[in-house]
Amino acid sequence: MTGITSTGMNDIKQVLEDLAEGKISKVEAKQLIKTILRRSPRKIRVKVRSKDGKNVNIVVPTGMIKRAINWVGEEVKEEIRNQVDFSKVEEALEDEDFRGEVIEVTGDDGEVVFVSIE
């Protein structure tokens, strides 16, 4: 549960204890946990694995995505747009409940790029 604050983890623990003690139903526990997760800031992770062993691992809060995109040069942005369907990333970012791998791209040179939301 990457990205959850210690307060969020304590809240989830309390929900699970309440469920175990029969104070709340499974449905109520599920909804409470979803609410706790939603209030935890999500992050987008980009991992690059190159054939030569040089790996990159970048984590950016989803609220910073537009700023992060501005850091990337136009030439790089265009190359990425030609290789990646960003509609999947946009859909995942719009879905507040989504967490997991969004895309995986393998280049001609064997370099692999993973994008996930945590």
Side-chain angles (χ1 to χ4, degrees):
M1 292 190 185
T2 305
I4 298 177
T5 64
S6 60
T7 302
M9 289 300 288
N10 289 336
D11 291 345
I12 290 172
K13 183 179 176 185
Q14 184 62 53
V15 168
L16 294 174
E17 287 174 5
D18 289 350
L19 176 63
E21 294 171 8
K23 294 179 180 178
I24 60 174
S25 70
K26 288 180 184 178
V27 172
E28 291 169 316
K30 181 179 178 182
Q31 186 57 45
L32 287 168
I33 290 172
K34 281 178 109 175
T35 300
I36 293 165
L37 291 174
R38 239 185 260 127
R39 74 175 192 225
S40 298
R42 293 188 310 159
K43 296 177 178 129
I44 190 162
R45 179 180 300 270
V46 178
K47 289 184 181 181
V48 180
R49 289 192 200 144
S50 65
K51 287 178 92 174
D52 63 3
K54 293 180 183 175
N55 298 322
V56 176
N57 186 15
I58 302 170
V59 180
V60 180
T62 54
M64 296 280 297
I65 295 301
K66 287 184 180 179
R67 287 186 189 164
I69 289 171
N70 290 331
W71 298 337
V72 178
E74 286 302 318
E75 186 177 303
V76 174
K77 285 183 202 176
E78 188 59 35
E79 185 176 331
I80 292 170
R81 282 187 204 109
N82 291 334
Q83 297 179 28
V84 178
D85 178 7
F86 275 104
S87 64
K88 292 178 183 178
V89 176
E90 290 170 352
E91 288 173 21
L93 287 170
E94 289 175 13
D95 181 353
E96 289 291 323
D97 294 328
F98 181 84
R99 301 239 183 335
E101 188 173 299
V102 181
I103 55 174
E104 177 182 329
V105 180
T106 303
D108 294 337
D109 60 357
E111 190 169 82
V112 182
V113 177
F114 302 92
V115 177
S116 61
I117 296 180
E118 304 173 343

